PDB file of all heavy atoms in Angstrom:
ATOM      1  N   SER E   1     103.989  92.781 108.415  1.00 96.00           N
ATOM      2  CA  SER E   1     104.634  91.893 109.374  1.00 96.00           C
ATOM      3  C   SER E   1     105.078  90.632 108.655  1.00 96.00           C
ATOM      4  O   SER E   1     104.329  90.086 107.844  1.00 96.00           O
ATOM      5  CB  SER E   1     103.682  91.516 110.492  1.00 96.00           C
ATOM      6  OG  SER E   1     103.260  92.654 111.198  1.00 96.00           O
ATOM      7  N   TYR E   2     106.296  90.206 108.953  1.00 91.00           N
ATOM      8  CA  TYR E   2     106.763  88.974 108.333  1.00 91.00           C
ATOM      9  C   TYR E   2     107.879  88.354 109.143  1.00 91.00           C
ATOM     10  O   TYR E   2     108.405  88.965 110.076  1.00 91.00           O
ATOM     11  CB  TYR E   2     107.238  89.221 106.876  1.00 91.00           C
ATOM     12  CG  TYR E   2     108.066  90.454 106.672  1.00 91.00           C
ATOM     13  CD1 TYR E   2     109.466  90.397 106.629  1.00 91.00           C
ATOM     14  CD2 TYR E   2     107.476  91.705 106.522  1.00 91.00           C
ATOM     15  CE1 TYR E   2     110.212  91.507 106.449  1.00 91.00           C
ATOM     16  CE2 TYR E   2     108.242  92.841 106.313  1.00 91.00           C
ATOM     17  CZ  TYR E   2     109.608  92.744 106.281  1.00 91.00           C
ATOM     18  OH  TYR E   2     110.363  93.864 106.109  1.00 91.00           O
ATOM     19  N   GLN E   3     108.213  87.144 108.798  1.00 92.00           N
ATOM     20  CA  GLN E   3     109.242  86.374 109.473  1.00 92.00           C
ATOM     21  C   GLN E   3     110.369  86.080 108.460  1.00 92.00           C
ATOM     22  O   GLN E   3     110.112  85.473 107.425  1.00 92.00           O
ATOM     23  CB  GLN E   3     108.680  85.020 109.950  1.00 92.00           C
ATOM     24  CG  GLN E   3     107.538  85.078 110.903  1.00 92.00           C
ATOM     25  CD  GLN E   3     107.965  85.266 112.328  1.00 92.00           C
ATOM     26  OE1 GLN E   3     109.098  85.019 112.683  1.00 92.00           O
ATOM     27  NE2 GLN E   3     107.051  85.746 113.152  1.00 92.00           N
ATOM     28  N   PHE E   4     111.550  86.535 108.755  1.00 89.00           N
ATOM     29  CA  PHE E   4     112.725  86.175 107.950  1.00 89.00           C
ATOM     30  C   PHE E   4     113.276  84.877 108.512  1.00 89.00           C
ATOM     31  O   PHE E   4     113.381  84.717 109.721  1.00 89.00           O
ATOM     32  CB  PHE E   4     113.813  87.217 108.055  1.00 89.00           C
ATOM     33  CG  PHE E   4     113.704  88.345 107.098  1.00 89.00           C
ATOM     34  CD1 PHE E   4     113.736  89.646 107.561  1.00 89.00           C
ATOM     35  CD2 PHE E   4     113.615  88.142 105.734  1.00 89.00           C
ATOM     36  CE1 PHE E   4     113.637  90.709 106.685  1.00 89.00           C
ATOM     37  CE2 PHE E   4     113.528  89.182 104.854  1.00 89.00           C
ATOM     38  CZ  PHE E   4     113.546  90.469 105.344  1.00 89.00           C
ATOM     39  N   LYS E   5     113.670  83.976 107.658  1.00 93.00           N
ATOM     40  CA  LYS E   5     114.433  82.796 108.061  1.00 93.00           C
ATOM     41  C   LYS E   5     115.900  83.175 107.956  1.00 93.00           C
ATOM     42  O   LYS E   5     116.381  83.525 106.882  1.00 93.00           O
ATOM     43  CB  LYS E   5     114.136  81.593 107.164  1.00 93.00           C
ATOM     44  CG  LYS E   5     112.876  80.862 107.532  1.00 93.00           C
ATOM     45  CD  LYS E   5     113.075  80.083 108.823  1.00 93.00           C
ATOM     46  CE  LYS E   5     111.922  79.119 109.019  1.00 93.00           C
ATOM     47  NZ  LYS E   5     111.887  78.578 110.349  1.00 93.00           N
ATOM     48  N   VAL E   6     116.596  83.149 109.084  1.00 93.00           N
ATOM     49  CA  VAL E   6     118.000  83.557 109.142  1.00 93.00           C
ATOM     50  C   VAL E   6     118.803  82.505 109.912  1.00 93.00           C
ATOM     51  O   VAL E   6     118.244  81.734 110.681  1.00 93.00           O
ATOM     52  CB  VAL E   6     118.159  84.933 109.779  1.00 93.00           C
ATOM     53  CG1 VAL E   6     117.453  86.017 108.963  1.00 93.00           C
ATOM     54  CG2 VAL E   6     117.694  84.932 111.216  1.00 93.00           C
ATOM     55  N   PRO E   7     120.126  82.511 109.743  1.00 93.00           N
ATOM     56  CA  PRO E   7     120.967  81.650 110.577  1.00 93.00           C
ATOM     57  C   PRO E   7     120.928  82.126 112.024  1.00 93.00           C
ATOM     58  O   PRO E   7     120.913  83.333 112.283  1.00 93.00           O
ATOM     59  CB  PRO E   7     122.364  81.850 109.980  1.00 93.00           C
ATOM     60  CG  PRO E   7     122.149  82.454 108.632  1.00 93.00           C
ATOM     61  CD  PRO E   7     120.896  83.204 108.694  1.00 93.00           C
ATOM     62  N   LYS E   8     120.942  81.190 112.951  1.00 93.00           N
ATOM     63  CA  LYS E   8     120.911  81.559 114.381  1.00 93.00           C
ATOM     64  C   LYS E   8     122.205  82.222 114.824  1.00 93.00           C
ATOM     65  O   LYS E   8     122.204  83.098 115.671  1.00 93.00           O
ATOM     66  CB  LYS E   8     120.637  80.330 115.261  1.00 93.00           C
ATOM     67  CG  LYS E   8     120.633  80.659 116.733  1.00 93.00           C
ATOM     68  CD  LYS E   8     119.817  79.696 117.517  1.00 93.00           C
ATOM     69  CE  LYS E   8     119.779  80.055 118.988  1.00 93.00           C
ATOM     70  NZ  LYS E   8     119.078  81.274 119.295  1.00 93.00           N
ATOM     71  N   ASN E   9     123.347  81.832 114.247  1.00 91.00           N
ATOM     72  CA  ASN E   9     124.620  82.371 114.666  1.00 91.00           C
ATOM     73  C   ASN E   9     125.600  82.395 113.477  1.00 91.00           C
ATOM     74  O   ASN E   9     125.229  81.959 112.364  1.00 91.00           O
ATOM     75  CB  ASN E   9     125.197  81.562 115.835  1.00 91.00           C
ATOM     76  CG  ASN E   9     125.210  80.069 115.532  1.00 91.00           C
ATOM     77  OD1 ASN E   9     125.551  79.643 114.410  1.00 91.00           O
ATOM     78  ND2 ASN E   9     124.842  79.250 116.507  1.00 91.00           N
ATOM     79  N   LEU E  10     126.814  82.835 113.704  1.00 88.00           N
ATOM     80  CA  LEU E  10     127.763  82.979 112.631  1.00 88.00           C
ATOM     81  C   LEU E  10     128.208  81.615 112.076  1.00 88.00           C
ATOM     82  O   LEU E  10     128.500  81.501 110.868  1.00 88.00           O
ATOM     83  CB  LEU E  10     129.000  83.766 113.101  1.00 88.00           C
ATOM     84  CG  LEU E  10     128.731  85.249 113.400  1.00 88.00           C
ATOM     85  CD1 LEU E  10     130.010  85.935 113.945  1.00 88.00           C
ATOM     86  CD2 LEU E  10     128.259  85.987 112.167  1.00 88.00           C
ATOM     87  N   GLU E  11     128.264  80.627 112.919  1.00 91.00           N
ATOM     88  CA  GLU E  11     128.644  79.249 112.465  1.00 91.00           C
ATOM     89  C   GLU E  11     127.625  78.737 111.444  1.00 91.00           C
ATOM     90  O   GLU E  11     127.976  78.262 110.367  1.00 91.00           O
ATOM     91  CB  GLU E  11     128.723  78.306 113.657  1.00 91.00           C
ATOM     92  CG  GLU E  11     129.077  76.877 113.257  1.00 91.00           C
ATOM     93  CD  GLU E  11     129.054  75.970 114.466  1.00 91.00           C
ATOM     94  OE1 GLU E  11     129.689  76.292 115.484  1.00 91.00           O
ATOM     95  OE2 GLU E  11     128.378  74.926 114.406  1.00 91.00           O
ATOM     96  N   LYS E  12     126.355  78.877 111.762  1.00 92.00           N
ATOM     97  CA  LYS E  12     125.305  78.427 110.828  1.00 92.00           C
ATOM     98  C   LYS E  12     125.276  79.309 109.561  1.00 92.00           C
ATOM     99  O   LYS E  12     124.983  78.852 108.479  1.00 92.00           O
ATOM    100  CB  LYS E  12     123.937  78.402 111.504  1.00 92.00           C
ATOM    101  CG  LYS E  12     123.863  77.274 112.526  1.00 92.00           C
ATOM    102  CD  LYS E  12     122.524  77.118 113.114  1.00 92.00           C
ATOM    103  CE  LYS E  12     122.510  75.935 114.080  1.00 92.00           C
ATOM    104  NZ  LYS E  12     121.200  75.646 114.595  1.00 92.00           N
ATOM    105  N   ARG E  13     125.578  80.582 109.757  1.00 87.00           N
ATOM    106  CA  ARG E  13     125.632  81.489 108.599  1.00 87.00           C
ATOM    107  C   ARG E  13     126.729  81.032 107.620  1.00 87.00           C
ATOM    108  O   ARG E  13     126.504  81.035 106.408  1.00 87.00           O
ATOM    109  CB  ARG E  13     125.898  82.900 109.094  1.00 87.00           C
ATOM    110  CG  ARG E  13     126.012  83.894 107.984  1.00 87.00           C
ATOM    111  CD  ARG E  13     126.200  85.284 108.570  1.00 87.00           C
ATOM    112  NE  ARG E  13     126.555  86.236 107.531  1.00 87.00           N
ATOM    113  CZ  ARG E  13     126.865  87.472 107.784  1.00 87.00           C
ATOM    114  NH1 ARG E  13     126.837  87.937 109.015  1.00 87.00           N
ATOM    115  NH2 ARG E  13     127.189  88.269 106.812  1.00 87.00           N
ATOM    116  N   ALA E  14     127.882  80.665 108.140  1.00 87.00           N
ATOM    117  CA  ALA E  14     128.984  80.206 107.313  1.00 87.00           C
ATOM    118  C   ALA E  14     128.615  78.932 106.533  1.00 87.00           C
ATOM    119  O   ALA E  14     129.067  78.729 105.420  1.00 87.00           O
ATOM    120  CB  ALA E  14     130.238  79.952 108.160  1.00 87.00           C
ATOM    121  N   ARG E  15     127.755  78.115 107.124  1.00 92.00           N
ATOM    122  CA  ARG E  15     127.301  76.863 106.459  1.00 92.00           C
ATOM    123  C   ARG E  15     126.047  77.071 105.623  1.00 92.00           C
ATOM    124  O   ARG E  15     125.587  76.148 104.983  1.00 92.00           O
ATOM    125  CB  ARG E  15     127.054  75.798 107.535  1.00 92.00           C
ATOM    126  CG  ARG E  15     128.335  75.426 108.272  1.00 92.00           C
ATOM    127  CD  ARG E  15     128.231  74.254 109.196  1.00 92.00           C
ATOM    128  NE  ARG E  15     126.877  73.998 109.650  1.00 92.00           N
ATOM    129  CZ  ARG E  15     126.567  73.486 110.833  1.00 92.00           C
ATOM    130  NH1 ARG E  15     127.513  73.173 111.686  1.00 92.00           N
ATOM    131  NH2 ARG E  15     125.313  73.268 111.183  1.00 92.00           N
ATOM    132  N   GLY E  16     125.507  78.275 105.635  1.00 90.00           N
ATOM    133  CA  GLY E  16     124.324  78.569 104.821  1.00 90.00           C
ATOM    134  C   GLY E  16     123.021  78.003 105.388  1.00 90.00           C
ATOM    135  O   GLY E  16     122.067  77.834 104.659  1.00 90.00           O
ATOM    136  N   ILE E  17     122.974  77.773 106.701  1.00 94.00           N
ATOM    137  CA  ILE E  17     121.793  77.201 107.349  1.00 94.00           C
ATOM    138  C   ILE E  17     120.914  78.338 107.856  1.00 94.00           C
ATOM    139  O   ILE E  17     121.334  79.103 108.735  1.00 94.00           O
ATOM    140  CB  ILE E  17     122.175  76.254 108.490  1.00 94.00           C
ATOM    141  CG1 ILE E  17     123.022  75.093 107.949  1.00 94.00           C
ATOM    142  CG2 ILE E  17     120.945  75.749 109.226  1.00 94.00           C
ATOM    143  CD1 ILE E  17     123.624  74.227 109.012  1.00 94.00           C
ATOM    144  N   LYS E  18     119.679  78.424 107.371  1.00 94.00           N
ATOM    145  CA  LYS E  18     118.744  79.434 107.837  1.00 94.00           C
ATOM    146  C   LYS E  18     117.642  78.683 108.632  1.00 94.00           C
ATOM    147  O   LYS E  18     116.706  78.153 108.046  1.00 94.00           O
ATOM    148  CB  LYS E  18     118.126  80.178 106.653  1.00 94.00           C
ATOM    149  CG  LYS E  18     119.163  80.989 105.884  1.00 94.00           C
ATOM    150  CD  LYS E  18     118.574  81.660 104.689  1.00 94.00           C
ATOM    151  CE  LYS E  18     119.647  82.422 103.942  1.00 94.00           C
ATOM    152  NZ  LYS E  18     119.144  83.054 102.740  1.00 94.00           N
ATOM    153  N   ASP E  19     117.781  78.677 109.953  1.00 93.00           N
ATOM    154  CA  ASP E  19     116.923  77.847 110.775  1.00 93.00           C
ATOM    155  C   ASP E  19     116.125  78.582 111.852  1.00 93.00           C
ATOM    156  O   ASP E  19     115.435  77.974 112.641  1.00 93.00           O
ATOM    157  CB  ASP E  19     117.795  76.770 111.465  1.00 93.00           C
ATOM    158  CG  ASP E  19     118.871  77.369 112.378  1.00 93.00           C
ATOM    159  OD1 ASP E  19     119.127  78.595 112.244  1.00 93.00           O
ATOM    160  OD2 ASP E  19     119.407  76.646 113.196  1.00 93.00           O
ATOM    161  N   THR E  20     116.214  79.908 111.881  1.00 93.00           N
ATOM    162  CA  THR E  20     115.589  80.660 112.946  1.00 93.00           C
ATOM    163  C   THR E  20     114.735  81.785 112.381  1.00 93.00           C
ATOM    164  O   THR E  20     115.115  82.461 111.434  1.00 93.00           O
ATOM    165  CB  THR E  20     116.693  81.284 113.866  1.00 93.00           C
ATOM    166  OG1 THR E  20     117.552  80.249 114.313  1.00 93.00           O
ATOM    167  CG2 THR E  20     116.082  81.984 115.064  1.00 93.00           C
ATOM    168  N   ASP E  21     113.532  81.934 112.963  1.00 92.00           N
ATOM    169  CA  ASP E  21     112.632  83.022 112.550  1.00 92.00           C
ATOM    170  C   ASP E  21     113.076  84.346 113.169  1.00 92.00           C
ATOM    171  O   ASP E  21     113.410  84.406 114.363  1.00 92.00           O
ATOM    172  CB  ASP E  21     111.195  82.750 113.004  1.00 92.00           C
ATOM    173  CG  ASP E  21     110.542  81.651 112.190  1.00 92.00           C
ATOM    174  OD1 ASP E  21     110.898  81.489 111.003  1.00 92.00           O
ATOM    175  OD2 ASP E  21     109.677  80.941 112.736  1.00 92.00           O
ATOM    176  N   LEU E  22     113.096  85.405 112.354  1.00 92.00           N
ATOM    177  CA  LEU E  22     113.406  86.750 112.821  1.00 92.00           C
ATOM    178  C   LEU E  22     112.180  87.605 112.518  1.00 92.00           C
ATOM    179  O   LEU E  22     111.945  87.980 111.374  1.00 92.00           O
ATOM    180  CB  LEU E  22     114.628  87.302 112.106  1.00 92.00           C
ATOM    181  CG  LEU E  22     115.072  88.679 112.494  1.00 92.00           C
ATOM    182  CD1 LEU E  22     115.503  88.744 113.974  1.00 92.00           C
ATOM    183  CD2 LEU E  22     116.233  89.126 111.634  1.00 92.00           C
ATOM    184  N   PRO E  23     111.346  87.897 113.543  1.00 93.00           N
ATOM    185  CA  PRO E  23     110.114  88.670 113.317  1.00 93.00           C
ATOM    186  C   PRO E  23     110.445  90.131 113.002  1.00 93.00           C
ATOM    187  O   PRO E  23     111.228  90.785 113.685  1.00 93.00           O
ATOM    188  CB  PRO E  23     109.376  88.579 114.658  1.00 93.00           C
ATOM    189  CG  PRO E  23     110.045  87.477 115.417  1.00 93.00           C
ATOM    190  CD  PRO E  23     111.449  87.413 114.928  1.00 93.00           C
ATOM    191  N   ILE E  24     109.818  90.647 111.952  1.00 92.00           N
ATOM    192  CA  ILE E  24     109.985  92.034 111.487  1.00 92.00           C
ATOM    193  C   ILE E  24     108.609  92.682 111.352  1.00 92.00           C
ATOM    194  O   ILE E  24     107.675  92.022 110.868  1.00 92.00           O
ATOM    195  CB  ILE E  24     110.654  92.051 110.106  1.00 92.00           C
ATOM    196  CG1 ILE E  24     111.964  91.257 110.060  1.00 92.00           C
ATOM    197  CG2 ILE E  24     110.869  93.489 109.606  1.00 92.00           C
ATOM    198  CD1 ILE E  24     113.093  91.895 110.765  1.00 92.00           C
ATOM    199  N   GLN E  25     108.516  93.945 111.722  1.00 95.00           N
ATOM    200  CA  GLN E  25     107.290  94.698 111.476  1.00 95.00           C
ATOM    201  C   GLN E  25     107.692  96.077 110.947  1.00 95.00           C
ATOM    202  O   GLN E  25     108.504  96.789 111.539  1.00 95.00           O
ATOM    203  CB  GLN E  25     106.461  94.850 112.741  1.00 95.00           C
ATOM    204  CG  GLN E  25     105.142  95.568 112.468  1.00 95.00           C
ATOM    205  CD  GLN E  25     104.329  95.688 113.754  1.00 95.00           C
ATOM    206  OE1 GLN E  25     104.696  96.452 114.636  1.00 95.00           O
ATOM    207  NE2 GLN E  25     103.240  94.952 113.825  1.00 95.00           N
ATOM    208  N   LEU E  26     107.105  96.445 109.794  1.00 93.00           N
ATOM    209  CA  LEU E  26     107.346  97.751 109.210  1.00 93.00           C
ATOM    210  C   LEU E  26     106.028  98.468 109.088  1.00 93.00           C
ATOM    211  O   LEU E  26     105.065  97.968 108.536  1.00 93.00           O
ATOM    212  CB  LEU E  26     107.963  97.601 107.799  1.00 93.00           C
ATOM    213  CG  LEU E  26     108.108  98.893 107.013  1.00 93.00           C
ATOM    214  CD1 LEU E  26     109.128  99.816 107.658  1.00 93.00           C
ATOM    215  CD2 LEU E  26     108.513  98.585 105.577  1.00 93.00           C
ATOM    216  N   SER E  27     105.958  99.670 109.690  1.00 96.00           N
ATOM    217  CA  SER E  27     104.769 100.511 109.608  1.00 96.00           C
ATOM    218  C   SER E  27     105.136 101.710 108.710  1.00 96.00           C
ATOM    219  O   SER E  27     106.182 102.322 108.906  1.00 96.00           O
ATOM    220  CB  SER E  27     104.323 101.002 110.962  1.00 96.00           C
ATOM    221  OG  SER E  27     104.041  99.918 111.812  1.00 96.00           O
ATOM    222  N   VAL E  28     104.218 102.058 107.815  1.00 94.00           N
ATOM    223  CA  VAL E  28     104.389 103.239 106.958  1.00 94.00           C
ATOM    224  C   VAL E  28     103.213 104.134 107.232  1.00 94.00           C
ATOM    225  O   VAL E  28     102.062 103.743 107.154  1.00 94.00           O
ATOM    226  CB  VAL E  28     104.423 102.852 105.464  1.00 94.00           C
ATOM    227  CG1 VAL E  28     104.642 104.091 104.592  1.00 94.00           C
ATOM    228  CG2 VAL E  28     105.505 101.810 105.200  1.00 94.00           C
ATOM    229  N   VAL E  29     103.502 105.414 107.570  1.00 96.00           N
ATOM    230  CA  VAL E  29     102.472 106.362 107.969  1.00 96.00           C
ATOM    231  C   VAL E  29     102.507 107.556 107.053  1.00 96.00           C
ATOM    232  O   VAL E  29     103.550 108.203 106.880  1.00 96.00           O
ATOM    233  CB  VAL E  29     102.660 106.820 109.417  1.00 96.00           C
ATOM    234  CG1 VAL E  29     101.578 107.834 109.825  1.00 96.00           C
ATOM    235  CG2 VAL E  29     102.667 105.628 110.384  1.00 96.00           C
ATOM    236  N   LEU E  30     101.372 107.852 106.422  1.00 96.00           N
ATOM    237  CA  LEU E  30     101.208 109.079 105.622  1.00 96.00           C
ATOM    238  C   LEU E  30     100.230 109.975 106.335  1.00 96.00           C
ATOM    239  O   LEU E  30      99.155 109.572 106.723  1.00 96.00           O
ATOM    240  CB  LEU E  30     100.659 108.717 104.226  1.00 96.00           C
ATOM    241  CG  LEU E  30     101.461 107.730 103.400  1.00 96.00           C
ATOM    242  CD1 LEU E  30     100.693 107.376 102.141  1.00 96.00           C
ATOM    243  CD2 LEU E  30     102.829 108.299 103.085  1.00 96.00           C
ATOM    244  N   LYS E  31     100.628 111.226 106.547  1.00 96.00           N
ATOM    245  CA  LYS E  31      99.762 112.195 107.209  1.00 96.00           C
ATOM    246  C   LYS E  31      99.307 113.248 106.201  1.00 96.00           C
ATOM    247  O   LYS E  31     100.084 113.696 105.376  1.00 96.00           O
ATOM    248  CB  LYS E  31     100.496 112.861 108.374  1.00 96.00           C
ATOM    249  CG  LYS E  31     100.810 111.883 109.492  1.00 96.00           C
ATOM    250  CD  LYS E  31     101.502 112.562 110.629  1.00 96.00           C
ATOM    251  CE  LYS E  31     101.814 111.561 111.744  1.00 96.00           C
ATOM    252  NZ  LYS E  31     102.595 112.125 112.816  1.00 96.00           N
ATOM    253  N   SER E  32      98.050 113.629 106.330  1.00 95.00           N
ATOM    254  CA  SER E  32      97.448 114.618 105.426  1.00 95.00           C
ATOM    255  C   SER E  32      98.278 115.912 105.404  1.00 95.00           C
ATOM    256  O   SER E  32      98.650 116.422 106.464  1.00 95.00           O
ATOM    257  CB  SER E  32      96.008 114.897 105.854  1.00 95.00           C
ATOM    258  OG  SER E  32      95.448 115.877 105.033  1.00 95.00           O
ATOM    259  N   LYS E  33      98.597 116.395 104.229  1.00 95.00           N
ATOM    260  CA  LYS E  33      99.289 117.656 104.001  1.00 95.00           C
ATOM    261  C   LYS E  33     100.723 117.684 104.559  1.00 95.00           C
ATOM    262  O   LYS E  33     101.263 118.741 104.790  1.00 95.00           O
ATOM    263  CB  LYS E  33      98.485 118.811 104.578  1.00 95.00           C
ATOM    264  CG  LYS E  33      97.120 118.970 103.922  1.00 95.00           C
ATOM    265  CD  LYS E  33      96.383 120.122 104.498  1.00 95.00           C
ATOM    266  CE  LYS E  33      94.960 120.202 103.889  1.00 95.00           C
ATOM    267  NZ  LYS E  33      94.141 121.221 104.460  1.00 95.00           N
ATOM    268  N   SER E  34     101.301 116.533 104.760  1.00 93.00           N
ATOM    269  CA  SER E  34     102.682 116.474 105.247  1.00 93.00           C
ATOM    270  C   SER E  34     103.588 115.896 104.164  1.00 93.00           C
ATOM    271  O   SER E  34     103.234 114.873 103.547  1.00 93.00           O
ATOM    272  CB  SER E  34     102.789 115.606 106.492  1.00 93.00           C
ATOM    273  OG  SER E  34     104.138 115.448 106.864  1.00 93.00           O
ATOM    274  N   PRO E  35     104.739 116.481 103.909  1.00 89.00           N
ATOM    275  CA  PRO E  35     105.653 115.917 102.911  1.00 89.00           C
ATOM    276  C   PRO E  35     106.486 114.762 103.463  1.00 89.00           C
ATOM    277  O   PRO E  35     107.325 114.190 102.768  1.00 89.00           O
ATOM    278  CB  PRO E  35     106.557 117.113 102.576  1.00 89.00           C
ATOM    279  CG  PRO E  35     106.600 117.888 103.857  1.00 89.00           C
ATOM    280  CD  PRO E  35     105.226 117.725 104.450  1.00 89.00           C
ATOM    281  N   ILE E  36     106.276 114.415 104.714  1.00 90.00           N
ATOM    282  CA  ILE E  36     107.069 113.387 105.378  1.00 90.00           C
ATOM    283  C   ILE E  36     106.373 112.046 105.361  1.00 90.00           C
ATOM    284  O   ILE E  36     105.197 111.949 105.676  1.00 90.00           O
ATOM    285  CB  ILE E  36     107.364 113.792 106.841  1.00 90.00           C
ATOM    286  CG1 ILE E  36     108.206 115.074 106.858  1.00 90.00           C
ATOM    287  CG2 ILE E  36     108.090 112.683 107.590  1.00 90.00           C
ATOM    288  CD1 ILE E  36     108.403 115.677 108.221  1.00 90.00           C
ATOM    289  N   ILE E  37     107.102 110.997 104.968  1.00 90.00           N
ATOM    290  CA  ILE E  37     106.615 109.634 105.066  1.00 90.00           C
ATOM    291  C   ILE E  37     107.334 109.015 106.279  1.00 90.00           C
ATOM    292  O   ILE E  37     108.559 109.015 106.345  1.00 90.00           O
ATOM    293  CB  ILE E  37     106.965 108.822 103.797  1.00 90.00           C
ATOM    294  CG1 ILE E  37     106.378 109.499 102.555  1.00 90.00           C
ATOM    295  CG2 ILE E  37     106.449 107.387 103.933  1.00 90.00           C
ATOM    296  CD1 ILE E  37     106.844 108.899 101.251  1.00 90.00           C
ATOM    297  N   GLU E  38     106.559 108.547 107.223  1.00 91.00           N
ATOM    298  CA  GLU E  38     107.128 108.000 108.449  1.00 91.00           C
ATOM    299  C   GLU E  38     107.235 106.478 108.314  1.00 91.00           C
ATOM    300  O   GLU E  38     106.262 105.822 107.912  1.00 91.00           O
ATOM    301  CB  GLU E  38     106.286 108.365 109.642  1.00 91.00           C
ATOM    302  CG  GLU E  38     106.245 109.854 109.908  1.00 91.00           C
ATOM    303  CD  GLU E  38     105.365 110.219 111.078  1.00 91.00           C
ATOM    304  OE1 GLU E  38     105.031 109.359 111.908  1.00 91.00           O
ATOM    305  OE2 GLU E  38     104.995 111.416 111.178  1.00 91.00           O
ATOM    306  N   PHE E  39     108.410 105.954 108.665  1.00 91.00           N
ATOM    307  CA  PHE E  39     108.634 104.517 108.670  1.00 91.00           C
ATOM    308  C   PHE E  39     108.998 104.117 110.098  1.00 91.00           C
ATOM    309  O   PHE E  39     109.829 104.757 110.735  1.00 91.00           O
ATOM    310  CB  PHE E  39     109.814 104.130 107.760  1.00 91.00           C
ATOM    311  CG  PHE E  39     109.532 104.373 106.297  1.00 91.00           C
ATOM    312  CD1 PHE E  39     109.843 105.575 105.731  1.00 91.00           C
ATOM    313  CD2 PHE E  39     109.036 103.349 105.511  1.00 91.00           C
ATOM    314  CE1 PHE E  39     109.614 105.821 104.376  1.00 91.00           C
ATOM    315  CE2 PHE E  39     108.820 103.554 104.177  1.00 91.00           C
ATOM    316  CZ  PHE E  39     109.108 104.788 103.589  1.00 91.00           C
TER     317      PHE E  39
END
């Protein structure tokens, strides 16, 4: 889990302002005897 600092909108993006938190969560699941990695 982490927070990206990103521009709130396109105007702030054009000015290079990163002022808003964007919460992200990535889960990685490995199952016994399965060739599949679940994200």
